[in-house]
């Protein structure tokens, strides 16, 4: 696990009482110089590995290592990487070990002869081994220095916690203890990934959720652990993109991950209880709220301003209105960044991870609940899906009888029910035949997409009205944008009845 710190705080870490009282020996300080190699077209990175040669205590250590993008979705805030090390004669890569079975497929033969140095890392590492209990050993490494690729560079100011022995939950406990003493946030990119980003000049990209790997033999407890880890990983994987600001989808995917996480916790709560981290002010709801306003301005830009500007209906004042929208987004975007970087956010994720991995919600459950948790997930998923489906169908029954504000409220209730159903389907779809789940998911998503578009249109209209009220010179362009938006909304509404019937009449795959 990696934690990012202010450089001014790094020196305090090895001396923290929570670490020193369990230390196994004194801290060791080393200066490390590392060169990363790849082909000019980055074939190794495309294969999910990084090759480096590190000069350490007069020796040269060659390492082939999988990068974070290859990490399993079942790892949450912990990076699980494969690593191969060889002591070699000099500073250039030794190709012979790369021909070994199990390694050769990662470094293709045609790439080995084309390796060139791409970037370097130069940093001071202070390591300390500590044993919080007799079964656990964790190596703490405090790294300070820089990554350099040509004229580009990035600082290294981080703490890595590597589990040498024991349960992964102890990593979260150690990180929480450190974070309570020194401001820190979870790092999601390896040094290799940062280096490659410097080489290519590309900003981090959004990460969509991976398919969940549940199977018919997965127990309820295993499913819960897997689903929550999956949600936490999606949240963390999009942090770099959201902070870089180059693609607004990163922020959106963080909100999706939080909503999926909240759905999972509510779904399993009758069996596992509510995580301790969610009791104090409901941190998940707080976090979603902090990211929401910036996302609303993003939707106005991407769903209204951009397509209207590209059409033949663009009003004269649209460029000035677009500038006003970007200006209005600035403060909410800064609030979102502050929330992501805040101790409250880091503490929430670490506390959730510690609670999940500790497992007392399972091992300490009373016998009746423990028996339920040890059942196959497939024995309960159908009933859970049926409940969510029934609530959605009920919410959609009276849409045609509503008008005005009542219709809007009814559509929003249905949207929320369908969204919860969609997340539940995503959690459990691996337990059922794909031929049965795909038609249902298609009908569900078509209806939900229409309702989401309606919701986004309502939010956009409110923001346009707000801008027009604040700056009267924008009123003409804002009114034109609202009119254009209303026309598109009206066309979409005409299709809603057919979309609803298609979803309502779709066979429930969990009953097959």
């Amino acid at each position: 696990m990696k934690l990012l710190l202010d450089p001014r705080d790094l020196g305090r870490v090895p001396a923290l009482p929570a670490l020193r009282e369990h230390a196994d020996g004194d801290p060791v300080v080393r200066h490390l110089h590392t060169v990363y190699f790849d082909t000019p077209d980055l074939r190794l990175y495309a294969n999910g590995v990084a090759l480096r040669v590190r000069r350490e205590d007069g020796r040269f250590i060659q390492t082939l290592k999988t990068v974070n993008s290859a990490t399993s979705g079942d790892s949450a805030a912990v990076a699980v990487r494969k690593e191969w090390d060889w002591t070699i004669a000099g500073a250039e890569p030794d190709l012979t070990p790369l021909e070994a079975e199990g390694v050769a497929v990662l470094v293709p033969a045609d790439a080995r002869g084309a390796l060139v140095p791409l970037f370097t890392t130069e940093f001071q590492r202070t390591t300390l081994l500590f044993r919080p209990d007799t079964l656990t050993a964790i190596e703490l490494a405090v790294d300070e220095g820089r990554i350099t690729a040509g004229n580009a560079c990035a600082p290294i100011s981080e703490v890595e916690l590597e589990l040498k022995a024991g349960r992964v939950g102890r990593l979260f406990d150690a990180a929480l203890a450190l974070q309570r003493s020194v401001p820190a946030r979870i790092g999601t990119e390896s040094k290799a990934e940062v280096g490659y980003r410097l080489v290519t000049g590309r900003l981090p990209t959004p990460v969509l959720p991976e398919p969940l790997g549940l199977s018919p033999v997965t127990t309820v407890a295993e499913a819960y652990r897997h689903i929550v880890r999956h949600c936490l990983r999606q949240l963390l994987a999009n942090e770099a993109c959201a902070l870089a600001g180059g693609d607004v989808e990163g922020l959106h995917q963080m909100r999706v991950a939080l909503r999926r996480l909240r759905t999972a916790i509510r779904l399993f709560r009758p069996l596992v209880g509510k995580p301790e981290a969610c009791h104090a002010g409901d941190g998940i709801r707080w976090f979603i709220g902090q990211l929401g306003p910036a996302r609303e301005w993003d939707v106005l830009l991407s769903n209204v301003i951009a397509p209207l500007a590209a059409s033949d209906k663009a009003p004269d004042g649209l460029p000035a209105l677009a500038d006003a929208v970007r200006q209005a987004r600035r403060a909410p975007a800064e609030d979102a960044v502050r929330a992501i970087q805040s101790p409250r956010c880091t503490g929430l994720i670490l506390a959730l991870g510690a609670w999940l991995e500790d497992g007392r919600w399972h091992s300490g459950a009373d016998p009746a609940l423990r028996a339920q948790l040890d059942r196959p997930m497939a024995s309960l998923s159908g009933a859970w899906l049926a409940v969510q489906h029934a609530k959605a169908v009920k919410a959609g029954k009276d849409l045609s009888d509503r008008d005005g504000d009542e219709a809007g409220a009814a559509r929003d209730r249905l949207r929320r029910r369908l969204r919860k159903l969609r997340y539940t389907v995503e959690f459990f779809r691996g337990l059922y035949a794909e031929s049965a789940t795909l038609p249902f998911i298609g009908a569900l998503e078509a209806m939900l997409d229409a309702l989401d578009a309606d919701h986004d249109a309502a939010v956009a209209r409110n923001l346009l009205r707000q801008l027009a009220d604040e700056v009267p010179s924008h009123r003409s362009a804002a009114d034109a944008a609202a009119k254009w938006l209303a026309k598109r909304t009206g066309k979409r509404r005409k299709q809603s009845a057919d979309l609803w019937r298609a979803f309502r009449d779709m066979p429930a795959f969990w009953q097959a």
Side-chain angles (χ1 to χ4, degrees), residues 171-468:
L171 270 184
F172 286 91
D173 293 338
L176 268 173
L178 191 153
Q179 194 250 356
R180 291 186 184 115
S181 301
V182 180
R185 64 185 181 88
I186 300 168
T188 58
E189 292 184 296
S190 66
K191 295 180 181 68
E193 287 178 307
V194 175
Y196 274 104
R197 190 151 51 78
L198 293 177
V199 169
T200 62
R202 298 174 192 150
L203 293 173
T205 55
V207 179
L208 300 177
E210 303 160 342
L212 279 143
L214 304 190
S215 73
V217 297
T218 301
T219 67
V220 175
E222 290 168 344
Y224 181 64
R225 185 177 282 112
H226 184 55
I227 290 167
V228 173
R229 285 173 178 170
H230 191 269
C231 295
L232 289 174
R233 174 164 168 76
Q234 184 192 0
L235 177 68
L236 290 168
N238 283 284
E239 182 182 292
C241 179
L243 293 177
D247 190 328
V248 297
E249 186 65 16
L251 186 66
H252 174 56
Q253 287 302 319
M254 290 191 75
R255 294 184 74 232
V256 169
L258 288 166
R259 290 199 300 258
R260 294 175 77 238
L261 179 61
R262 186 168 62 181
T263 298
I265 289 172
R266 289 176 174 175
L267 195 63
F268 283 84
R269 186 164 55 190
L271 296 181
V272 304
K274 189 174 183 179
E276 296 165 5
C278 296
H279 283 290
D282 194 352
I284 297 175
R285 183 183 291 110
W286 165 81
F287 201 3
I288 293 173
Q290 293 298 303
L291 304 185
R295 175 61 184 166
E296 291 176 353
W297 290 106
D298 290 338
V299 168
L300 176 56
L301 280 169
S302 59
N303 291 7
V304 181
I305 301 295
L308 180 56
S311 74
D312 57 2
K313 305 291 185 181
D316 292 339
L318 192 63
L321 179 64
D323 288 341
V325 172
R326 295 187 189 96
Q327 180 63 33
R329 181 193 182 273
R330 186 169 299 170
E334 291 172 352
D335 289 341
V337 168
R338 278 193 292 270
I340 293 169
Q341 295 179 329
S342 70
R344 184 173 181 179
C345 169
T346 302
L348 170 66
I349 296 170
L350 290 176
L352 275 173
W355 181 85
L356 181 72
E357 302 299 341
D358 175 77
R360 278 179 286 182
W361 51 269
H362 180 213
S363 61
D366 67 57
L369 285 179
R370 179 70 181 265
Q372 289 281 81
L373 290 168
D374 290 337
R375 292 176 63 185
M377 186 69 249
S379 68
L380 295 179
S381 58
W384 291 9
L385 285 162
V387 169
Q388 300 305 323
H389 183 252
K391 289 180 178 179
V393 171
K394 181 179 179 182
K397 278 184 177 179
D398 59 350
L399 279 182
S400 59
D401 299 329
R402 308 278 180 168
D403 53 25
D405 292 341
E406 286 189 356
R411 293 175 74 84
D412 197 55
R413 282 194 298 272
L414 175 59
R415 181 179 68 91
R416 293 174 184 276
R417 289 296 186 190
L418 289 177
R419 188 169 66 193
K420 190 171 182 178
L421 174 62
R422 184 181 70 179
Y423 293 153
T424 307
V425 169
E426 288 174 355
F427 295 155
F428 300 136
R429 63 184 294 183
L431 301 174
Y432 302 91
E434 191 174 80
S435 58
T437 60
L438 287 180
F440 184 91
I441 291 170
L444 169 60
E445 290 189 342
M447 186 65 206
L448 186 54
D449 286 348
L451 292 171
D452 281 341
D454 271 3
H455 173 77
D456 290 344
V459 171
R461 284 195 297 271
N462 288 336
L463 295 178
L464 288 168
R465 191 179 304 116
Q466 175 184 324
L467 287 172

Side-chain angles (χ1 to χ4, degrees), residues 39-83:
T39 62
D41 58 355
L42 310 184
R43 272 176 277 171
L44 299 192
Y45 191 64
N47 253 14
V49 294
L51 178 67
R52 73 187 189 201
V53 176
R54 173 169 289 170
R55 189 174 69 241
E56 182 176 335
D57 300 329
R59 299 180 304 152
F60 292 95
I61 308 297
Q62 176 174 289
T63 299
L64 184 70
K65 198 171 190 177
T66 56
V67 294
N68 282 354
S69 56
T71 295
S72 164
D74 201 31
S75 61
V78 179
V80 182
R81 295 191 283 263
K82 295 180 180 179
E83 184 175 318

Side-chain angles (χ1 to χ4, degrees), residues 10 14 26-34 52 54-61 63 65 83 85 121-129 139-146 156 158 160 162 164 191:
L10 284 177
D26 294 323
V28 177
V29 179
R30 293 173 293 165
H31 295 272
L32 302 177
H33 175 84
T34 308
R52 73 187 189 201
R54 173 169 289 170
R55 189 174 69 241
E56 182 176 335
D57 300 329
R59 299 180 304 152
F60 292 95
I61 308 297
T63 299
K65 198 171 190 177
E83 184 175 318
D85 293 307
T121 63
E122 189 92 35
F123 57 95
Q124 176 179 286
R125 167 166 288 178
T126 303
T127 57
L128 176 70
L129 185 69
E139 183 183 77
L140 175 139
V142 180
D143 294 345
E144 182 174 19
R146 66 175 53 199
I156 297 173
E158 63 194 35
E160 288 187 356
E162 183 174 351
K164 297 294 188 179
K191 295 180 181 68

